[in-house]
Amino acid sequence: MRFTTDALVIREKRIGESDKLVTLLTREYGVISAFAPGAKSIKSKKAAATGLLSYSNFAITKKNDTYRINETSIIRIFFGAGSDVLKLSLAQYFCELALVLEPDSESSEEFLRIILNSLHFLVEDVKNIELIKAITELRIAAVSGYMPDLVACADCGAFESDIMNFKIGDGSILCDKCYSEVGAFRIDKTILSAMRHIVYSKFSSIYNFEIPENHAKILSDLTGRYIKVQTDHNFKTLDFYNSIK
């Protein structure tokens, strides 16, 4: 079987002296690992196209469960030598999200679009970095089967109050009148509105809003904890990002 696909390189591993094994987040086939012969050589046309965070077109042969890259052409390289360390660490976290959540063929296109758009905003430096992170985490959670229920208070059905309580464990919200536990995130109307926009809006508009910087930081902390709890995974790249930001 031979096919072509646009894909983002989310992991690369050296095999021998000159070959690579790369993991690709594809548009149509989910996450696949493919052998790239000769790609480690600086003379190879495949070298740049198979580098981490390169978005390229790949011509691939599949035999049994093995994928082999025959040809490549670069569409965009998001980060290179001398890149901003903070932004690069966040980009690598987005790659780890894809590796852990492994979107299937049905969800891979939106998953890829989310990460590509977030990488674009990181590189262009036109949006708050914490807001980019929060949008990516929460929308990816929704696409991957971890969609929170933000419609109304889970007990009384209140649409909103001055303060709502977001429960990390099950993704529900409760108004102050109904909430009597401890440990939930207390969120105001600005953050709740942002979360609803990220989860329920059409993809074309999920980045089309701004919130104050202090709200973006709170939202980013919330979404980071939410995805760690929901996936039961400790993201090393997220820990590194948090340690240097």
Side-chain angles (χ1 to χ4, degrees):
M1 174 185 173
R2 295 187 178 185
F3 63 93
T4 60
T5 185
D6 296 338
L8 178 71
V9 180
I10 57 175
R11 182 167 60 190
E12 59 176 331
K13 180 180 180 181
R14 183 169 182 166
I15 303 293
E17 291 298 318
S18 60
D19 304 331
K20 282 184 185 179
L21 181 66
V22 294
T23 305
L24 307 174
L25 173 57
T26 71
R27 189 172 296 280
E28 306 95 340
Y29 307 101
V31 174
I32 64 174
S33 293
F35 181 63
K40 195 64 180 177
S41 170
I42 58 175
K43 297 180 180 180
S44 173
K45 295 180 180 179
K46 301 175 186 175
T50 57
L52 183 65
L53 294 167
S54 293
Y55 179 53
S56 305
N57 179 264
F58 296 90
I60 297 173
T61 300
K62 180 184 179 183
K63 185 175 182 180
N64 297 323
D65 292 327
T66 301
Y67 296 88
R68 182 185 181 93
I69 297 171
N70 301 312
E71 297 179 11
T72 61
S73 59
I74 297 170
I75 300 173
R76 182 172 183 181
I77 297 177
F78 285 99
F79 290 91
S83 296
D84 181 286
V85 175
L86 185 65
K87 294 179 180 179
L88 179 58
S89 67
L90 187 57
Q92 291 174 329
Y93 168 53
F94 295 162
C95 292
E96 189 177 359
L97 282 172
L99 289 167
V100 171
L101 293 171
E102 290 190 333
D104 57 23
S105 57
E106 292 184 3
S107 60
S108 62
E109 181 170 5
E110 182 168 353
F111 204 108
L112 176 61
R113 289 177 68 194
I114 295 166
I115 292 183
L116 290 177
N117 276 269
S118 293
L119 292 177
H120 167 77
F121 283 115
L122 278 179
V123 171
E124 297 300 321
D125 197 24
V126 294
K127 207 167 194 67
N128 181 287
I129 189 172
E130 291 293 293
L131 185 55
I132 295 171
K133 172 181 172 290
I135 292 171
T136 307
E137 289 171 322
L138 195 55
R139 187 69 175 211
I140 278 179
V143 170
S144 303
Y146 302 105
M147 180 183 288
D149 182 1
L150 305 172
V151 175
C153 173
D155 282 357
C156 72
F159 181 71
E160 66 181 14
S161 60
D162 289 338
I163 295 294
M164 297 289 270
N165 301 275
F166 180 70
K167 297 175 67 177
I168 295 289
D170 64 9
S172 65
I173 54 174
L174 293 170
C175 67
D176 260 0
K177 292 180 179 179
C178 297
Y179 186 69
S180 59
E181 305 171 34
V182 294
F185 262 88
R186 292 175 61 78
I187 56 177
D188 62 17
K189 291 180 180 180
T190 298
I191 293 178
L192 178 58
S193 177
M195 293 174 70
R196 284 171 170 164
H197 178 86
I198 295 167
V199 171
Y200 299 126
S201 294
K202 293 181 179 179
F203 179 84
S204 59
S205 64
I206 62 172
Y207 296 88
N208 295 344
F209 74 99
E210 298 289 343
I211 57 177
E213 184 175 343
N214 63 316
H215 282 79
K217 291 179 179 179
I218 294 170
L219 178 59
S220 174
D221 187 24
L222 183 157
T223 55
R225 294 190 190 187
Y226 179 68
I227 207 157
K228 287 178 70 173
V229 168
Q230 292 298 312
T231 60
D232 193 26
H233 182 82
N234 183 38
F235 293 89
K236 293 181 179 179
T237 50
L238 177 59
D239 290 341
F240 180 72
Y241 168 79
N242 286 329
S243 73
I244 65 172
K245 70 177 181 180

